[in-house]
C-alpha cells in the first residue's frame, strides 16, 4: 500500500537549542528496499534535509535551531507506491517541553512538607506542579507560586504519616505540555501531640478489704497517636477525701494492668504518650463497692438471658434507657481460659442491639456477655446474656436408672441432666424413641422417625428440660421393644447408636377373662351332668309346682308367702293334689 500521512506530527524543544520532531508511522506491508523513507526539511527547501529520521515505536528527528525561532517544517514519507507529507509551523518559544525536575528534597514539620527541586535549564521560566499521594490512596495536586517555581509547601497533613510526592514542570509563559514526573520522594511528617482519647474499660473482682481492678485500654479509630507511642500513664485517686493520686507508667507493649483499691469511689485516668506529649486523659469512675455492680434502676439480681448466633456473629439486644450516654458490651473470646481475654465494644445512646463479631467465636462454646450503661464516666450493669455462635448436639445422653413395665406401657426414669458452661448448647428437652424389634412402629400419639438404615422408630418429644420421667403407652403384650432416650439442644442431638431392649409381660387380666370363659362353663356343665336328675326336677319338672319352680312364679298372685298358679290361665294335662290340707285351702 502507499504510505499514510504521518500522524501526530509535532515539534518541541527542551533546552531552546535543539528541536525534536516526532510522528507515528503507518503500515505499508512493504519490506527491505521498499520500506518507506522519511525526510524532514524546511517547507521552503524540501530538498535539503534538516536531519535523519529514526523509527522504532515512534519516529523522531532532531536538529540545532541556531538563532532561528520560527520554523515551518515538512516531513515526507514515500515508497514505490506513493508519497505523503505533513507540515508543522511553530515558534520555538511556544514549544518548550522541559526536562523532568531532579534532586528533589524536603523540609518537614508535623503537618507540613516543603518540597525543593532543581532543573537543568535555568534560563527558562517554569511553572511546576506537585502530586502528593495520601495514605488512603487519594492524590492531591499542588501548584508552585509564580515567584518561586523551585519549591512548594503542602499543608494540612497528618503528623507522623508517610507521604509520597513527585514534581513536573511546564513553561510559565507559553505552556505547551508538562515535563515527565521526577523520581518519587517518600517522606514522613514529624510527630505531634496525640489527638483523641484512648478507649478504656475495667473488670472488678471483690477481694478481702477492697477490690482488684483490671484496667484495659486500646486505640480507637478516633484516636490518632501522631507519632510512636512510647508509654501509657495510669493515674487513680480516691474521690471522697481528696487524697494524693497514685500513678504508674507502662511500656507501649502493654494494654492492661491490675491495681488494688479499697471500697471507696475512685477516679481513674489513662493517657498515651509519644515523643512530643501526652494525649487527653480517658476517665473512668469506679463507684463504691456497694453500688458498683447494679443498675441504678434495679435492686434485684440479674438473670442471664439467652442470645442467638447469626451468620456473622452473635446478636444481642437490650432495653434502652434514656439516662445513659453510651452502652458497653464486654465478653471473653476464650471463656475457658483463666484469666480470660476480656474484650469490649462501645455503642451510642440510641443503640439497642448489636451483632458481636469475632474471628475467635467457634460453634459449641458458650459465651457470656454483660451489658452496661454509662453516664458521667460511671458504668452500671444492666443485663447479662449467654449464647452460642451455633449450638451443637449434647455431649452425653441422659442415664436411664429405672424402667417400670406393664403389659401395655413402659415408664422410664432418668437422672437430672447436668448442664454447665461446657455444654455445647442449651438443653431444650428430650426425645424418646421406641420400636418393636420386629416390624415397624405405629404407636398412638407418636411421630415417625426414619433412621439412616431406613428403619422406622416412634418418636416422643418432651419439651421440658426439667422432666425426668416419661411413660410410653399402647404397647403390645409379650413383645420385645428397643428404646432409647436422647437429650437435644438447639443444635439437635447425637446419632442414635445404642438401644435398650425390654420385653413386655403377658396381659394377666386377659388370662383371667379367658379362664372365666372356659373354666366356669365347663364346671357348670360337669355339675349339671353329675346332678342331672336334680337339675331336671328343679328346672323342668313334669308337674310344675308353684312353690318350687321359679318358672311359674307370679308376683301378682300370692297367699301369704306362697305362690299361686291361676288355673284359668293354663290348660293342664293332669290335675294333682299335694295334700288334703292344700285342697281345703284352694
Amino acid at each position: 500500500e502507499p504510505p499514510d500521512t504521518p500522524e501526530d506530527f509535532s515539534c518541541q524543544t527542551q533546552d531552546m537549542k535543539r528541536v525534536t520532531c516526532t510522528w507515528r508511522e503507518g503500515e505499508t506491508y512493504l519490506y527491505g528496499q521498499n520500506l518507506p523513507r522519511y525526510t524532514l526539511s524546511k517547507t521552503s527547501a524540501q530538498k535539503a534535509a534538516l536531519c535523519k529520521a529514526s523509527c522504532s515505536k515512534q519516529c523522531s528527528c532532531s536538529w540545532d535551531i541556531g538563532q532561528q525561532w520560527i520554523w515551518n517544517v515538512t516531513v515526507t514519507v514515500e515508497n514505490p507506491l506513493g508519497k505523503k507529507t505533513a507540515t508543522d509551523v511553530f515558534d520555538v518559544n511556544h514549544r518548550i517541553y522541559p526536562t523532568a525536575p531532579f534532586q528533589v528534597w524536603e523540609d518537614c514539620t508535623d503537618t507540613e512538607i516543603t518540597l525543593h527541586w532543581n532543573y537543568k535549564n535555568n534560563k527558562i521560566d517554569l511553572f511546576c506542579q506537585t502530586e502528593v499521594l495520601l495514605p488512603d490512596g487519594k492524590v492531591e495536586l499542588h501548584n508552585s507560586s509564580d515567584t518561586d517555581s523551585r519549591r512548594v509547601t503542602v499543608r494540612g497533613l497528618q503528623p507522623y504519616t508517610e507521604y509520597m510526592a513527585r514534581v513536573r514542570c511546564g513553561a510559565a509563559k507559553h505552556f505547551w505540555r508538562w515535563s515527565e514526573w521526577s523520581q518519587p520522594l517518600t517522606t514522613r511528617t514529624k510527630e505531634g501531640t496525640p489527638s483523641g482519647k484512648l478507649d478504656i474499660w475495667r473488670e472488678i473482682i471483690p477481694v478481702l478489704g477492697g477490690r482488684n481492678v483490671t484496667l484495659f485500654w486500646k486505640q480507637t479509630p478516633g484516636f490518632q497517636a501522631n507519632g510512636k507511642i512510647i508509654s501509657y500513664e495510669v493515674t487513680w485517686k480516691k474521690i471522697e477525701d481528696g487524697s494524693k493520686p497514685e500513678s504508674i507508667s507502662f511500656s507501649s507493649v502493654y494494654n492492661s494492668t491490675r491495681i488494688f483499691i479499697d471500697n471507696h469511689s475512685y477516679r481513674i485516668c489513662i493517657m498515651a504518650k509519644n515523643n512530643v506529649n501526652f494525649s487527653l486523659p480517658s476517665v473512668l469512675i469506679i463507684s463504691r463497692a456497694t453500688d458498683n455492680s447494679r443498675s441504678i434502676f434495679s435492686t434485684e439480681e440479674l438473670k442471664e438471658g439467652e442470645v442467638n448466633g447469626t451468620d456473622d456473629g452473635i446478636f444481642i439486644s437490650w432495653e434502652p434507657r434514656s439516662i445513659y450516654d453510651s452502652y458497653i458490651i464486654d465478653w471473653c473470646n476464650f471463656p475457658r481460659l483463666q484469666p480470660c481475654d476480656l474484650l469490649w465494644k462501645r455503642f451510642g445512646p440510641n443503640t439497642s442491639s448489636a451483632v458481636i463479631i469475632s474471628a475467635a467465636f467457634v460453634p459449641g462454646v458458650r459465651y457470656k456477655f454483660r451489658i452496661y450503661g454509662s453516664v458521667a464516666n460511671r458504668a452500671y450493669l444492666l443485663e447479662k446474656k449467654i449464647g452460642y455462635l451455633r449450638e451443637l448436639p449434647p455431649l452425653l445422653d441422659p442415664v436411664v436408672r429405672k424402667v417400670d413395665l406393664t403389659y401395655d406401657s413402659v415408664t422410664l426414669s432418668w437422672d437430672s441432666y447436668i448442664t454447665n458452661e461446657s455444654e455445647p448448647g442449651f438443653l431444650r428437652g428430650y426425645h424418646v424413641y421406641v420400636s418393636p424389634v420386629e416390624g415397624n412402629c405405629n404407636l398412638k400419639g407418636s411421630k415417625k422417625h426414619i433412621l439412616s438404615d431406613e428403619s422406622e422408630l416412634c418418636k416422643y418429644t418432651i419439651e421440658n428440660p426439667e422432666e425426668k420421667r416419661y411413660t410410653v403407652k399402647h404397647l403390645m403384650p409379650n413383645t420385645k421393644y428397643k428404646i432409647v432416650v436422647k437429650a437435644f439442644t438447639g443444635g439437635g442431638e447425637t446419632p442414635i447408636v445404642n438401644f435398650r431392649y425390654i420385653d413386655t409381660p403377658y396381659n394377666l387380666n386377659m388370662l383371667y377373662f379367658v379362664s372365666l370363659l372356659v373354666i366356669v362353663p365347663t364346671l357348670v356343665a360337669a355339675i349339671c351332668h353329675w346332678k342331672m336328675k336334680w337339675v331336671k326336677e328343679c328346672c323342668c319338672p313334669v308337674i310344675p309346682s308353684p312353690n318350687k319352680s321359679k318358672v311359674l312364679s307370679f308376683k301378682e298372685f300370692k297367699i301369704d308367702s306362697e305362690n299361686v298358679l291361676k288355673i284359668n290361665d293354663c290348660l293342664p294335662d293332669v290335675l294333682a293334689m299335694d295334700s288334703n290340707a292344700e285342697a281345703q285351702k284352694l
Side-chain angles (χ1 to χ4, degrees):
E1 293 181 357
D4 294 327
T5 301
E7 297 181 3
D8 302 329
F9 177 54
S10 66
C11 302
Q12 58 196 16
T13 181
Q14 289 189 318
D15 55 9
M16 299 298 290
K17 296 177 181 180
R18 192 171 179 82
V19 170
T20 299
C21 294
T22 58
W23 64 92
R24 289 193 296 113
E25 63 176 340
E27 180 61 64
T28 62
Y29 305 101
L30 295 175
Y31 307 95
Q33 295 180 352
N34 296 323
L35 281 172
R37 296 182 302 277
Y38 294 93
T39 304
L40 188 68
S41 61
K42 292 183 179 180
T43 304
S44 59
Q46 295 186 8
K47 293 183 180 181
L50 292 172
C51 56
K52 184 178 181 180
S54 63
C55 296
S56 56
K57 294 182 179 179
Q58 182 176 259
C59 296
S60 65
C61 190
S62 302
W63 75 96
D64 294 330
I65 61 175
Q67 299 299 319
Q68 183 176 342
W69 303 109
I70 306 298
W71 288 85
N72 185 346
V73 295
T74 298
V75 60
T76 303
V77 55
E78 60 180 328
N79 67 10
L81 298 179
K83 180 173 69 173
K84 292 290 178 65
T85 62
T87 301
D88 188 17
V89 180
F90 60 93
D91 183 340
V92 175
N93 292 304
H94 295 186
R95 293 292 181 88
I96 299 174
Y97 172 55
T99 57
F102 66 100
Q103 293 181 345
V104 181
W105 74 98
E106 85 287 348
D107 294 324
C108 291
T109 67
D110 58 339
T111 59
E112 295 182 359
I113 297 176
T114 300
L115 295 170
H116 306 264
W117 58 86
N118 286 325
Y119 39 79
K120 291 181 178 180
N121 196 335
N122 295 326
K123 296 180 181 180
I124 304 174
D125 294 331
L126 296 179
F127 170 77
C128 297
Q129 189 178 68
T130 302
E131 179 189 76
V132 180
L133 180 62
L134 304 179
D136 60 2
K138 295 181 180 179
V139 173
E140 288 184 355
L141 296 176
H142 300 267
N143 297 328
S144 62
S145 65
D146 296 335
T147 58
D148 192 353
S149 62
R150 293 176 181 269
R151 71 175 183 176
V152 68
T153 299
V154 182
R155 297 179 173 85
L157 304 179
Q158 292 294 325
Y160 202 65
T161 304
E162 191 173 89
Y163 296 90
M164 188 173 69
R166 57 182 183 172
V167 184
R168 64 181 178 179
C169 298
K173 291 184 179 180
H174 305 287
F175 181 83
W176 167 244
R177 61 176 57 172
W178 290 111
S179 69
E180 296 296 326
W181 288 107
S182 67
Q183 290 295 319
L185 173 70
T186 300
T187 185
R188 182 186 290 274
T189 52
K190 293 184 178 180
E191 293 189 47
T193 300
S195 60
K197 298 180 181 181
L198 295 171
D199 186 5
I200 64 174
W201 190 234
R202 85 294 183 274
E203 184 177 33
I204 303 171
I205 301 176
V207 294
L208 183 63
R211 294 160 290 175
N212 283 332
V213 179
T214 303
L215 300 171
F216 304 89
W217 57 85
K218 63 183 177 181
Q219 298 181 13
T220 62
F223 176 84
Q224 298 295 329
N226 294 337
K228 185 177 181 181
I229 298 298
I230 57 176
S231 65
Y232 295 99
E233 191 84 9
V234 179
T235 304
W236 63 99
K237 177 183 176 182
K238 191 182 296 186
I239 296 177
E240 283 88 351
D241 59 5
S243 59
K244 185 178 179 180
E246 299 180 66
S247 65
I248 187 171
S249 183
F250 296 93
S251 168
S252 61
V253 298
Y254 293 94
N255 62 0
S256 66
T257 187
R258 177 180 291 179
I259 62 174
F260 173 81
I261 61 174
D262 58 28
N263 291 323
H264 292 88
S265 299
Y266 277 80
R267 185 178 189 270
I268 299 175
C269 298
I270 303 179
M271 298 180 291
K273 184 180 185 301
N274 62 14
N275 290 310
V276 177
N277 207 342
F278 287 97
S279 67
L280 294 173
S282 298
V283 179
L284 193 65
I285 304 296
I286 305 295
S287 301
R288 295 176 61 87
T290 55
D291 304 330
N292 187 63
S293 62
R294 290 181 179 173
S295 165
I296 57 180
F297 292 107
S298 175
T299 58
E300 298 180 358
E301 189 67 25
L302 295 176
K303 295 182 179 180
E304 293 179 332
E306 294 183 8
V307 292
N308 300 317
T310 66
D311 293 338
D312 301 322
I314 298 177
F315 178 78
I316 298 175
S317 62
W318 60 90
E319 182 183 349
R321 283 88 162 177
S322 59
I323 189 174
Y324 297 115
D325 51 37
S326 65
Y327 297 97
I328 303 100
I329 299 177
D330 69 7
W331 72 94
C332 294
N333 268 346
F334 303 97
R336 295 172 184 174
L337 297 180
Q338 292 298 330
C340 81
D341 57 326
L342 188 69
L343 298 177
W344 74 98
K345 191 171 183 180
R346 291 183 180 271
F347 301 91
N350 298 322
T351 306
S352 60
S353 64
V355 176
I356 304 301
I357 301 173
S358 174
F361 288 164
V362 294
V365 175
R366 182 180 295 184
Y367 297 96
K368 293 186 176 182
F369 301 89
R370 293 177 295 192
I371 303 167
Y372 295 83
S374 177
V375 56
N377 298 319
R378 294 177 186 260
Y380 298 91
L381 180 60
L382 304 179
E383 299 179 30
K384 292 181 180 180
K385 305 286 186 180
I386 55 174
Y388 298 82
L389 180 66
R390 188 175 76 251
E391 294 184 57
L392 297 180
L395 298 175
L396 301 172
D397 289 324
V399 179
V400 177
R401 295 297 185 186
K402 188 178 180 182
V403 178
D404 294 326
L405 280 170
T406 67
Y407 68 91
D408 65 344
S409 68
V410 57
T411 300
L412 304 171
S413 302
W414 55 87
D415 293 339
S416 297
Y417 195 87
I418 301 175
T419 57
N420 52 43
E421 296 179 4
S422 63
E423 283 298 312
F426 296 117
L427 182 65
R428 309 293 184 181
Y430 303 94
H431 288 145
V432 178
Y433 296 95
V434 184
S435 178
V437 174
E438 296 180 359
N440 295 326
C441 184
N442 53 359
L443 296 178
K444 184 180 179 181
S446 66
K447 294 183 179 179
K448 281 190 177 182
H449 180 78
I450 309 299
L451 296 179
S452 57
D453 61 358
E454 297 186 356
S455 60
E456 291 185 6
L457 300 177
C458 287
K459 176 181 177 181
Y460 299 89
T461 300
I462 306 168
E463 294 183 348
N464 180 13
E466 303 297 325
E467 189 64 59
K468 296 182 293 182
R469 180 185 176 93
Y470 189 77
T471 299
V472 179
K473 299 178 181 180
H474 309 295
L475 301 181
M476 295 295 295
N478 192 28
T479 305
K480 190 168 188 176
Y481 287 90
K482 55 184 179 180
I483 192 166
V484 66
V485 180
K486 304 286 289 185
F488 68 91
T489 66
E493 63 188 20
T494 55
I496 299 174
V497 177
N498 298 318
F499 286 94
R500 184 167 186 157
Y501 293 88
I502 59 172
D503 292 288
T504 54
Y506 287 99
N507 187 348
L508 296 180
N509 294 332
M510 184 63 70
L511 288 177
Y512 296 149
F513 180 70
V514 171
S515 299
L516 290 174
L517 288 179
V518 174
I519 295 174
V520 172
T522 303
L523 184 60
V524 170
I527 293 173
C528 290
H529 182 72
W530 180 40
K531 294 289 186 178
M532 180 65 70
K533 184 177 180 181
W534 176 82
V535 171
K536 185 176 180 181
E537 285 292 330
C538 180
C539 296
C540 301
V542 175
I543 301 173
S545 173
N547 296 325
K548 296 180 179 180
S549 177
K550 293 182 179 181
V551 176
L552 299 176
S553 295
F554 301 98
K555 294 179 181 180
E556 59 271 23
F557 299 108
K558 285 183 180 289
I559 299 177
D560 297 330
S561 61
E562 296 295 335
N563 293 326
V564 178
L565 174 64
K566 190 176 181 181
I567 301 300
N568 295 338
D569 292 338
C570 62
L571 300 174
D573 295 328
V574 178
L575 179 63
M577 293 297 179
D578 285 341
S579 64
N580 291 330
E582 291 291 333
Q584 291 298 323
K585 290 180 181 180
L586 292 173

